[in-house]
Amino acid sequence: MELLFVRHAQGEHTMNPPRSLQLRDPGLTPLGQRQSKKLQDKLPLSSDDLIVISPTRRTIETAQLWSEGAACKQIVHQAVGPRMFPLLAASMSYGCDSPLSLNVVKEAHRLDVITSRYSAWEEGINAISESLFEQTASEFLSWCKGLDRPRIYILTHDGTITAYRQYLGERNVTRQDFLGETGTYLMQIQS
């Protein structure tokens, strides 16, 4: 099985750091909207595809623009929410990495939601301990395997992608390995 991790397009929170990193619920910039549409050519989708999306507005907006006209399945999954990398104290987390409320995801965006039993929805996975993240990642990968799909697209954040890379055994990953906007990273997972 292939997991194709895709970093979200440019978000408003990146425009004036570090102050802008405290924005709550940042959406896409106009450039981010164009980057999302370009994903249609870079990674064309069909009705057979599945995108697993982080519970943030910028990832949901990226998915909506990328999948326009494709009618693919989209699910918001807590296990691919924002994740600090490297892990720091929860007090160091940014406002932009707070997940949308469950009601907003379900009602305003009309998306199906999968939660993790290892963290509260409001907290997400951003600052949970490494051991809880490992349990969450294991649960998530088992869920993916149970879907019996050859490829799953995972639309998420640079820190989350790097945390999964480390969890799956890649050594010496650092912030230098973060992907650029709409960058991709393919992981092969044994079924």
Side-chain angles (χ1 to χ4, degrees):
M1 171 181 65
E2 294 180 344
L3 299 180
L4 186 62
F5 284 81
V6 180
R7 183 177 177 225
H8 62 79
Q10 185 184 69
E12 297 166 325
H13 65 297
T14 64
M15 299 313 300
N16 191 21
R19 185 176 27 230
S20 60
L21 295 173
Q22 293 307 331
L23 283 173
R24 290 249 183 230
D25 193 24
L28 294 178
T29 64
L31 174 60
Q33 293 169 0
R34 291 190 301 276
Q35 290 171 332
S36 298
K37 287 217 171 255
K38 286 182 181 177
L39 280 171
Q40 294 174 354
D41 294 326
K42 180 179 174 183
L43 297 169
L45 298 168
S46 74
S47 59
D48 295 331
D49 287 318
L50 168 66
I51 305 174
V52 180
I53 310 165
S54 166
T56 63
R57 184 160 62 114
R58 61 193 179 271
T59 51
I60 292 171
E61 288 178 356
T62 300
Q64 290 170 335
L65 292 167
W66 172 22
S67 66
E68 268 182 3
C72 65
K73 177 82 173 152
Q74 298 180 40
I75 297 174
V76 173
H77 201 303
Q78 183 181 21
V80 298
R83 173 87 177 150
M84 280 191 274
F85 189 90
L87 182 62
L88 302 171
S91 62
M92 303 288 289
S93 62
Y94 298 123
C96 64
D97 287 337
S98 298
L100 291 173
S101 76
L102 202 51
N103 287 341
V104 167
V105 173
K106 287 181 173 180
E107 294 172 16
H109 294 287
R110 300 188 183 281
L111 292 167
D112 293 330
V113 174
I114 307 289
T115 60
S116 170
R117 60 183 162 172
Y118 299 109
S119 64
W121 181 269
E122 300 78 28
E123 295 171 5
I125 64 166
N126 192 37
I128 61 174
S129 70
E130 287 294 337
S131 63
L132 284 179
F133 174 72
E134 289 172 4
Q135 290 174 302
T136 300
S138 176
E139 176 189 53
F140 174 68
L141 294 174
S142 292
W143 176 80
C144 288
K145 290 174 185 176
L147 297 174
D148 196 30
R149 290 175 175 261
R151 173 180 277 181
I152 298 171
Y153 295 95
I154 301 171
L155 187 52
T156 187
H157 312 267
D158 47 17
T160 309
I161 296 166
T162 308
Y164 271 93
R165 289 170 65 178
Q166 180 175 282
Y167 171 75
L168 291 167
E170 194 170 332
R171 300 287 177 242
N172 303 317
V173 288
T174 69
R175 292 179 62 85
Q176 300 300 320
D177 296 301
F178 281 5
L179 299 176
E181 292 144 357
T182 67
T184 61
Y185 191 84
L186 181 64
M187 294 183 196
Q188 299 285 339
I189 306 297
Q190 298 299 321
S191 296

